[in-house]
Amino acid sequence: MCGIVGYAGKKTAYPILIEGLKKLEYRGYDSAGAATLSEGRVHLAKTEGRLADLEEKVGGILPGTIGIGHTRWATHGRPSDENSHPQAACSPDFLVVHNGIIENYRELKGRLQGLGHEFHSQTDTEVLAHLLEHHYQGDLVMALRRTLAEVKGSYALVFLSSHHPDTLYCARKDSPLVIGCGEGENFIASDLPAILNHTRQALILEDGEMGVITAESIQVYDAAGSQREKKIVQVDWDVQAAEKGGYPHFMLKEIHEQPRALRDTLRGRVAPDTGDVLLPELEDCERDLADMEKIFIVACGTAAHAGQVGKIILEKLVGLPVEVDLASEFRYRDPLLTEKTLVLVISQSGETADTLAALRLARRSGCRVVAITNVVGSSVAREADNVIFTWAGPEIAVASTKAYITQLAVLYLFTLHLAKVRGTLAAGERKALAAGLLALPSQVESLLEGEREKEVEALAGEVARWPSTFFIGRGLDHAMAMEGALKLKEISYIHAEAYAAGEMKHGTLALITEGIPVIALATQEEIFEKTESNIKEVKAREARVTEVVFADQKDILEEVDGVFLLPRCAGLLAPVLSVVPLQLLAYHAAVKRGCDVDKPRNLAKSVTVE
């Protein structure tokens, strides 16, 4: 989610750090910083804003032939100079840049403060610098091993210390990190684009590995401290392809990043032994949540479709009435708002103009507002009473994929938390759903394997030939049908409609003609037979039906023309899985039609006007 660059060599480090960070600015852009060492002295500069702001602040160069740099996508702490990386310990002798989430930073921070350490930021990253300082006894590799042994969470990190002025130290777990191999110089980066102008040879660190890098040497160790032999990879991608991780489009890259995004969003928020959801963001409002009489979910576009899922699971598990409103309509219909109304606003960017206007109306009306957003420091995050962040990371493609799937994850977390606060769901049921939630990242991963994606690509070839496609389902499946239709419309320009399957006979069947593609979702067991009856109505009109169902429902194969099988999960969690083939369908149909997948016509990533 952030950009990391490190350099050790004979050249001045600062220009190389800035050049590399510019190649990674798509990964993080709310603050930037760099640190170099020269003659045993640390030179540190960091600032809120973009790299241009950092360059202006420095005004020249930072001296030294070794250094680290960072562009930040905020997770812990709003964008500010203090929260920018590199983060230092009590002294500037230990500096760290970090991408990831340290789950237990609160406990570690409290213990370190008790030992006399003073903290100056709101970040989880600062804990790493203080831990390293605490454990350092002359051997920085040992100090790093002891530090990482105490840390829970994900990280790609690079340390710089004036105690070892010619050496960089790095490590990774669940976040990518590569080492570039040069002649008399070596590099570290969170992604390949940062180093390709200097070297095409790289070592790819695996989870649990640590690297020790100087201008002349690279050593890699496992978590136990044993040295490892690593194979050098020859990189043939150009910079543009490398920015996309070798994928042809950002959208496909982001679809494939969804397992990681889900893991990050769930990380540290579910206690697997009890099923309890841990949302410290809501600690100050639990009494209010217990007393709420109604919930409004307010959002736009894809976020509103996430809200439709939220409505169903909240009403089912919490027993509160829930309305989903398009933000652009909410404030013009004089909604009935009271102090007993909770308004849940969802916005990927946190800057959506209509959603902001709805948020402000709700607050003026005395409602508590809880926001779900992907951007720390955004207007929605600042103005809401409480915020639950998704950890999707930067999303470049206009069509939202990983931001959407993490919104779903947060809605499940919020629902389970609210069910416990209000006592509406037995502990055993909460635990079972929480376990299912934690299994979803691996299940999504299985849907993105090569052969599974080829299944969808073949279907996309059929869909791309038609001017219209229909998506049908009931309950949660109807909510997913709406998202599937939107994805297909916005990037392939194929007319697509989503219908509640039971409504087909009330007029919509007039649009069903021979051969027309229909995507039918049938994951809800309590209404499965009803949905199957609706599918037969469509088949009777000779439509070409592809059904999305669980793998243990293969007996439906005779009723439809094609099937996409999902790994079994609780029906309430099915939207997280069923959306994946719908995203891939839209993507591959758009590619086959020659559309600009990442930048569809007439659309913008963040809608900041009404």
Side-chain angles (χ1 to χ4, degrees):
M1 291 183 285
C2 303
I4 291 174
V5 179
Y7 175 78
K10 306 284 194 300
K11 301 170 186 172
T12 302
Y14 178 73
I16 295 170
L17 299 176
I18 295 297
E19 175 198 13
L21 290 173
K22 285 179 178 177
K23 298 293 194 302
L24 301 180
E25 201 167 9
Y26 67 95
R27 290 175 59 94
Y29 36 74
D30 58 48
S31 57
T36 60
L37 276 172
S38 176
E39 298 180 351
R41 181 184 169 197
V42 171
H43 302 273
L44 173 64
K46 54 184 188 171
T47 185
E48 179 183 354
R50 292 183 175 257
L51 274 170
D53 300 300
L54 177 66
E55 291 182 276
E56 183 178 349
K57 186 172 185 176
V58 172
I61 64 168
L62 301 178
T65 59
I66 188 168
I68 54 178
H70 190 268
T71 54
R72 183 173 183 248
W73 174 267
T75 55
H76 294 71
R78 63 180 178 81
S80 68
D81 292 1
E82 295 78 15
N83 291 332
S84 306
H85 297 203
Q87 285 291 319
C90 293
S91 75
D93 295 326
F94 297 90
L95 292 162
V96 62
V97 291
H98 166 230
N99 176 18
I101 298 169
I102 305 303
E103 294 176 24
N104 60 335
Y105 84 97
R106 290 184 184 86
E107 304 96 282
L108 294 172
K109 183 175 181 178
R111 179 164 65 81
L112 288 163
Q113 286 174 323
L115 295 171
H117 287 255
E118 294 185 9
F119 284 74
H120 303 285
S121 79
Q122 300 167 301
T123 68
D124 55 339
T125 300
E126 190 181 354
V127 165
L128 295 169
H130 286 277
L131 266 180
L132 193 74
E133 183 179 57
H134 170 68
H135 288 302
Y136 181 68
Q137 295 178 345
D139 184 339
L140 206 47
V141 172
M142 182 58 70
L144 180 55
R145 285 180 57 202
R146 289 173 176 165
T147 293
L148 299 180
E150 293 195 57
V151 167
K152 296 178 182 177
S154 61
Y155 50 79
L157 54 88
V158 185
F159 280 111
L160 178 68
S161 173
S162 59
H163 294 292
H164 301 267
D166 63 347
T167 308
L168 297 177
Y169 302 82
C170 63
R172 71 152 283 181
K173 180 178 179 290
D174 296 333
S175 288
L177 203 62
V178 300
I179 299 172
C181 312
E183 293 291 332
E185 59 183 1
N186 290 305
F187 309 82
I188 304 173
S190 54
D191 216 343
L192 286 167
I195 65 173
L196 291 186
N197 283 347
H198 300 278
T199 180
R200 295 282 169 160
Q201 294 188 317
L203 302 177
I204 312 299
L205 285 188
E206 303 296 334
D207 277 356
E209 290 183 336
M210 300 177 290
V212 180
I213 293 94
T214 68
E216 303 293 344
S217 68
I218 298 171
Q219 296 172 309
V220 177
Y221 299 89
D222 62 20
S226 299
Q227 193 164 346
R228 303 195 66 177
E229 294 296 323
K230 297 286 291 184
K231 182 180 178 182
I232 293 178
V233 176
Q234 185 69 32
V235 182
D236 296 323
W237 299 339
D238 61 24
V239 172
Q240 186 176 21
E243 287 178 354
K244 297 170 184 172
Y247 293 97
H249 300 94
F250 277 109
M251 182 180 177
L252 187 60
K253 176 176 181 279
E254 288 158 5
I255 290 172
H256 280 263
E257 287 175 341
Q258 289 181 127
R260 192 273 309 156
L262 277 172
R263 286 189 180 99
D264 283 349
T265 297
L266 296 172
R267 193 181 303 280
R269 287 171 160 172
V270 180
D273 52 336
T274 63
D276 288 343
V277 169
L278 312 173
L279 291 176
E281 304 95 324
L282 303 180
E283 284 177 354
D284 69 330
C285 67
E286 289 196 354
R287 183 180 296 275
D288 285 351
L289 293 177
D291 292 339
M292 289 300 167
E293 297 175 350
K294 185 174 183 177
I295 299 175
F296 281 95
I297 299 177
V298 183
C300 301
T302 285
H305 295 157
Q308 293 290 345
V309 174
K311 169 185 169 64
I312 294 170
I313 61 175
L314 280 163
E315 288 187 340
K316 188 175 186 70
L317 301 182
V318 181
L320 275 175
V322 181
E323 287 190 43
V324 180
D325 265 270
L326 296 173
S328 56
E329 298 291 326
F330 182 70
R331 60 196 170 114
Y332 295 115
R333 70 173 186 84
D334 297 323
L336 300 176
L337 303 172
T338 72
E339 292 181 355
K340 298 288 187 180
T341 304
L342 175 69
V343 176
L344 191 63
V345 300
I346 309 174
S347 169
Q348 181 276 138
S349 68
E351 301 294 346
T352 311
D354 288 317
T355 305
L356 267 171
L359 181 158
R360 290 164 182 161
L361 170 63
R363 294 207 66 196
R364 287 196 303 271
S365 301
C367 302
R368 177 170 287 276
V369 177
V370 174
I372 297 173
T373 185
N374 194 38
V375 183
V376 175
S378 62
S379 298
V380 161
R382 292 196 307 271
E383 296 188 33
D385 295 295
N386 303 86
V387 189
I388 310 172
F389 290 108
T390 61
W391 301 132
E395 191 174 64
I396 308 302
V398 167
S400 180
T401 53
K402 63 177 181 172
Y404 171 77
I405 210 167
T406 55
Q407 288 167 357
L408 292 182
V410 168
L411 284 165
Y412 286 111
L413 292 170
F414 177 75
T415 300
L416 289 175
H417 179 74
L418 195 56
K420 182 182 180 184
V421 168
R422 297 175 69 93
T424 59
L425 194 62
E429 292 178 278
R430 289 202 318 274
K431 185 175 181 180
L433 281 170
L437 204 54
L438 292 174
L440 288 174
S442 295
Q443 292 181 312
V444 170
E445 221 157 33
S446 74
L447 296 174
L448 294 169
E449 293 172 352
E451 292 304 314
R452 301 311 313 275
E453 185 168 346
K454 286 178 183 176
E455 294 177 43
V456 183
E457 189 174 359
L459 174 61
E462 294 290 325
V463 170
R465 297 188 297 106
W466 284 81
S468 293
T469 296
F470 295 94
F471 294 76
I472 63 172
R474 301 178 78 123
L476 284 169
D477 288 329
H478 179 228
M480 302 319 297
M482 289 191 286
E483 176 60 11
L486 176 61
K487 280 290 158 288
L488 192 64
K489 283 185 282 195
E490 66 183 335
I491 64 168
S492 75
Y493 317 143
I494 296 170
H495 170 258
E497 294 293 341
Y499 292 105
E503 284 292 291
M504 296 290 289
K505 64 177 71 70
H506 295 287
T508 316
L509 277 173
L511 297 173
I512 301 300
T513 57
E514 182 180 355
I516 197 165
V518 175
I519 312 302
L521 295 105
T523 67
Q524 303 304 298
E525 289 188 36
E526 66 273 20
I527 48 175
F528 183 76
E529 291 181 359
K530 300 288 187 184
T531 304
E532 289 297 298
S533 295
N534 302 139
I535 291 171
K536 288 176 181 177
E537 292 167 358
V538 173
K539 279 298 298 174
R541 276 76 183 173
E542 299 185 342
R544 189 185 190 285
V545 179
T546 300
E547 192 164 9
V548 180
V549 294
F550 289 121
D552 56 5
Q553 294 172 317
K554 290 183 179 180
D555 56 339
I556 50 79
L557 282 170
E558 296 178 2
E559 304 291 337
V560 295
D561 302 284
V563 65
F564 188 88
L565 300 176
L566 304 174
R568 169 57 73 177
C569 71
L572 283 177
L573 302 176
V576 177
L577 301 181
S578 60
V579 74
V580 176
L582 305 185
Q583 295 167 340
L584 289 171
L585 174 65
Y587 170 78
H588 286 293
V591 170
K592 291 179 185 299
R593 290 167 62 90
C595 301
D596 188 344
V597 173
D598 288 333
K599 296 178 181 178
R601 66 189 182 205
N602 304 330
L603 301 179
K605 184 63 180 170
S606 180
V607 183
T608 56
V609 294
E610 188 177 354

